[in-house]
Amino acid sequence: MIDAPNAPAAHHRVLIAGGGTAGLSVASALLRRYPELDVSVIEPNTDHYYQPGWTLVGGGDMPQRHTRRAQADVMPEGARWIQDTITGFEPEASRVTLASGAQHGYDVLVVALGLQLNWDAIDGLVETLGRNGVTSNYHYDYAPYTHELASTLAGGRALFTQPAMPIKCAGAPQKALYLTADTLRRRRVNASVEFYNQGASMFGVPVYARELDKVIAGYGATPYFGHDLIAVDGERQQATFKTAEGEVTRDFDMLHVVPPQSAPAVIRDSSLAGAAGWVSVDRHRLAHTAYDNVFALGDCTDTPNAKTMAAVRRQVPTVVDGVLNALELGGKAPLYDGYGACPLTVEHGRVLLAEFRYDQEVVSSFPLDPRQPRRLHWLFKRHVFPMMYWQMMLRGHDWRRPHPRSLPELSQ
């Protein structure tokens, strides 16, 4: 069911802000439990994307079309789709304002607006993205260009960037590097591959960072830490970075850019936001710290976990039961433990499946050493995870499975 933008204001039992991975998963799970429940989803876009697949598209390992479906085809049956954009939150009055001017009230609000990619924060990037050797797997339109560049580069210099944290899927910037470097190696092309990271290490969890140091060294690639991309001159093929010592400029033949990221402006400008601009929630209950009838999950919150689809998968049961409990329809909600996972594609056909919880605790869903890249995990990344996403996660199937085993010996 779709509401026209100029529909009159309404009141909803459950109002979900955002129809991406997190929002639709919660909506589907709620309706699976209570098919007659009044659940409405505010989402302006007509397309829905499987964004974890864009790394594989950029590597030439997945068709671009397999990562997009019509939003109408994935909207849960029984949910009301309000095809509009939220322009303001008024949690004190339990209502939101939309771009159309309509106001919608709610008993319970779930915020799942994701994060904001700030392409224009890098001077000159927007004007050259998709040409002059400048690409990004963080955009549906440009991921195929990454593969085109890796497949045609005859040498020279390939640069890969990573902005300040937090960002969506912190491993994705280097996944682009590894797949490109592997393609170049298989083509026997001698090129300088360089990784420019605003942070201080390859990964936030030390045990995995040490393994990734070995991976990047195996490609003969050079990491540069404390380098923040601030400008791109596409015509001259030059990238400028800010460092503690001042600005440095590098020539390139290929440049893969990951833009700076932040909470959406509509959240930052609202009373839902904490000090850093993200939705302020209890990190275990995912309930807002000030408003009892507001929950949030996914990339838009201030929880100190990786912003990945795997994290959303573990957060959904906590939010669903929290919402039902707030509506006096459910029991005590399970606590979210900070679980996140990053399937790091270190080459075509092998993945290092990094799993972890809050406080850098290393865990594993398999009775295998998680530090080792494996063909098995590639098969999951390429075939199993996309199927689970479209057929299970977005359809609200319960994900309360046994928790991954803790590996304290690796968490030191």
Side-chain angles (χ1 to χ4, degrees):
M1 185 184 303
I2 301 177
D3 272 2
N6 294 321
H11 187 89
H12 312 271
R13 288 282 273 162
V14 180
L15 186 61
I16 299 177
T21 300
L24 291 191
S25 296
V26 169
S28 294
L30 286 170
L31 290 166
R32 185 171 286 275
R33 297 270 290 277
Y34 289 90
E36 302 305 316
L37 185 63
D38 172 20
V39 177
S40 297
V41 179
I42 302 173
E43 172 56 52
N45 295 311
T46 57
D47 289 318
H48 184 96
Y49 298 96
Y50 176 64
Q51 295 182 33
W54 292 349
T55 295
L56 295 174
V57 174
D61 297 301
M62 178 179 284
Q64 181 192 38
R65 66 182 183 279
H66 287 184
T67 67
R68 181 174 69 179
R69 294 189 182 180
Q71 185 75 16
D73 292 341
V74 296
M75 188 63 60
E77 183 178 354
R80 181 183 297 275
W81 178 14
I82 303 170
Q83 196 172 342
D84 206 335
T85 300
I86 295 179
T87 56
F89 289 99
E90 299 177 64
E92 299 85 358
S94 292
R95 68 188 178 203
V96 301
T97 301
L98 308 184
S100 62
Q103 292 186 326
H104 288 256
Y106 55 80
D107 291 334
V108 178
L109 173 69
V110 177
V111 185
L113 286 182
L115 53 68
Q116 180 174 303
L117 301 178
N118 299 313
W119 299 99
D120 56 1
I122 300 172
D123 187 42
L125 175 60
V126 173
E127 294 84 351
T128 194
L129 193 58
R131 59 193 185 93
N132 297 320
V134 183
T135 186
S136 180
N137 289 345
Y138 273 69
H139 196 293
Y140 175 83
D141 291 340
Y142 305 125
Y145 188 42
T146 303
H147 177 55
E148 177 186 334
L149 290 170
S151 301
T152 58
L153 197 68
R157 206 175 202 176
L159 312 185
F160 297 80
T161 76
Q162 178 170 317
M165 299 294 288
I167 64 172
K168 182 194 301 284
C169 189
Q174 56 190 292
K175 295 179 196 179
L177 182 153
Y178 299 142
L179 290 179
T180 298
D182 190 28
T183 296
L184 295 174
R185 181 171 59 186
R186 294 174 185 224
R187 293 179 54 227
R188 299 184 179 180
V189 171
N190 184 20
S192 176
V193 179
E194 303 168 12
F195 185 50
Y196 290 82
N197 188 347
Q198 191 274 344
S201 65
M202 291 298 294
F203 203 74
V205 181
V207 66
Y208 296 124
R210 291 191 290 270
E211 295 304 315
L212 295 170
D213 286 341
K214 300 174 186 176
V215 172
I216 194 168
Y219 283 114
T222 305
Y224 293 90
F225 300 110
H227 282 64
D228 190 20
L229 181 67
I230 59 173
V232 178
D233 187 328
E235 296 295 333
R236 295 183 179 181
Q237 291 193 304
Q238 292 182 329
T240 300
F241 300 87
K242 179 181 178 182
T243 75
E245 290 74 35
E247 295 182 3
V248 297
T249 298
R250 297 285 186 265
D251 296 329
F252 65 82
D253 297 278
M254 173 182 179
L255 174 65
H256 180 274
V257 177
V258 178
Q261 296 162 38
S262 66
V266 68
I267 291 176
R268 298 199 310 270
D269 296 337
S270 77
S271 56
L272 294 177
W278 308 91
V279 180
S280 177
V281 296
D282 179 282
R283 74 175 197 166
H284 294 296
R285 297 188 304 113
L286 303 178
H288 197 273
T289 53
Y291 304 102
D292 294 338
N293 65 337
V294 177
F295 296 81
L297 75 163
D299 295 349
C300 68
T301 76
D302 64 358
T303 53
N305 61 276
K307 296 184 183 297
T308 67
M309 190 186 76
V312 172
R313 177 171 61 85
R314 284 287 182 178
Q315 291 171 348
V316 167
T318 297
V319 170
V320 168
D321 278 6
V323 169
L324 294 177
N325 187 45
L327 295 173
E328 299 183 349
L329 294 174
K332 185 177 180 181
L335 298 180
Y336 172 59
D337 60 6
Y339 176 83
C342 185
L344 289 147
T345 49
V346 298
E347 65 179 72
H348 298 284
R350 288 206 311 157
V351 164
L352 187 158
L353 182 58
E355 296 180 273
F356 37 86
R357 289 197 281 251
Y358 282 143
D359 304 317
Q360 301 181 342
E361 180 189 1
V362 178
V363 298
S364 179
S365 297
F366 300 88
L368 302 167
D369 187 339
R371 296 170 296 181
Q372 299 301 312
R374 300 180 188 278
R375 173 71 177 174
L376 171 65
H377 296 154
W378 169 268
L379 295 176
F380 271 86
K381 168 71 175 176
R382 174 61 184 86
H383 300 288
V384 178
F385 292 160
M387 180 274 295
M388 292 170 66
Y389 181 78
W390 296 116
Q391 302 302 323
M392 299 182 69
M393 190 169 179
L394 290 189
R395 296 187 180 185
H397 289 278
D398 198 329
W399 284 93
R400 279 174 283 196
R401 303 290 185 264
H403 282 222
R405 63 191 178 108
S406 177
L407 299 174
E409 69 278 9
L410 297 181
S411 300
Q412 306 303 317

